[in-house]
Amino acid sequence: MEMTSAVASLAALAHEGRLAAFRQLVQAGGAGLAAGELARRLDMLPNTLSTNLGILAQAGLVTSQREGRSIIYRAHYDAMGELLAYLVEDCCAGSPEICAPLAKVASGCCAA
Amino acid sequence: MEMTSAVASLAALAHEGRLAAFRQLVQAGGAGLAAGELARRLDMLPNTLSTNLGILAQAGLVTSQREGRSIIYRAHYDAMGELLAYLVEDCCAGSPEICAPLAKVASGCCAA
DNA sequence: CATATAATTCGACTATTCTAGAAATATGGA
DNA sequence: TCCATATTTCTAGAATAGTCGAATTATATG
């Protein structure tokens, strides 16, 4: 992963509304959620949310797919994983005990 | 972890200079790096870097400690781990195979 | 085809963030 | 004490991001 796209992804997530939307999608799994459903859950104006989903999509963190009148958004787990891996790349100068807290990440998810 | 502090951490990382600085510190491990050494490595003005290190510190992602005339900065692995865990919390609606890419994160680090 | 629903795009305004020069503070040594 | 080094703080201007109303596009249905 390149610096530029990592910054874009982080900037996309560094916003209350977008982070909330993204987490909803992460939790929703493969089924994803329609833009309107997200707007309702997060109590956001549809146009504002749309702009923000666009920013997440451009960063590669979510994908979208039209389904009838709705557009379904889904978290893009691959991109997510690359971003997290980039942040801890070559970490801790070879002293595993120092970065043990990072192990949480795996267990927080389904890897457990 | 709360939304507000997650956003602050992500915003702190969503900047070329700060992300580069943070990654240097992550890779430096427990020894950390002096502010001046970082400025030299990253070719940044010391005052600009100082401002940016302040932002990382306020977000809790790095710690600082004076040592003689220098100030040593270190990555704060705990905070880092909490942030990553927050991003994948309750992910993928119980379908581990969907979020398998996230397993990379652990192996990218010393957990391997 | 007319209408309703779902979502996006446009435009203008406000607010925030970024950078760099200059000045200030802290430490160590002659 | 005086000076050099290391870093931070202050300040102002430039650039960027965020929001919302209004208009637009796409799809489904009577």
Side-chain angles (χ1 to χ4, degrees), chain B residues 65-84:
Chain B
Q65 181 184 10
R66 181 172 281 279
E67 202 153 299
R69 270 182 289 208
S70 297
I71 294 188
I72 308 297
Y73 281 87
R74 293 185 180 82
H76 190 195
Y77 294 91
D78 280 1
M80 187 65 195
E82 280 178 39
L83 175 62
L84 302 195

Side-chain angles (χ1 to χ4, degrees), chain A residues 23 26 86 91-92 99 109-110, chain B residues 23 26 86 91-92 99 109-110:
Chain A
R23 276 165 42 94
V26 165
Y86 182 77
C91 77
C92 74
C99 62
C109 184
C110 351
Chain B
R23 276 166 40 94
V26 165
Y86 181 77
C91 76
C92 74
C99 61
C109 187
C110 348

Side-chain angles (χ1 to χ4, degrees), chain A residues 1-2 5-6 8-9 15 20 27 29 42 46 49 51 54 59 70 75 90-91:
Chain A
M1 163 167 268
E2 295 157 33
S5 79
S9 295
H15 178 280
Q27 290 168 20
L42 303 173
L49 177 62
T51 298
S70 297
D90 302 323
C91 77

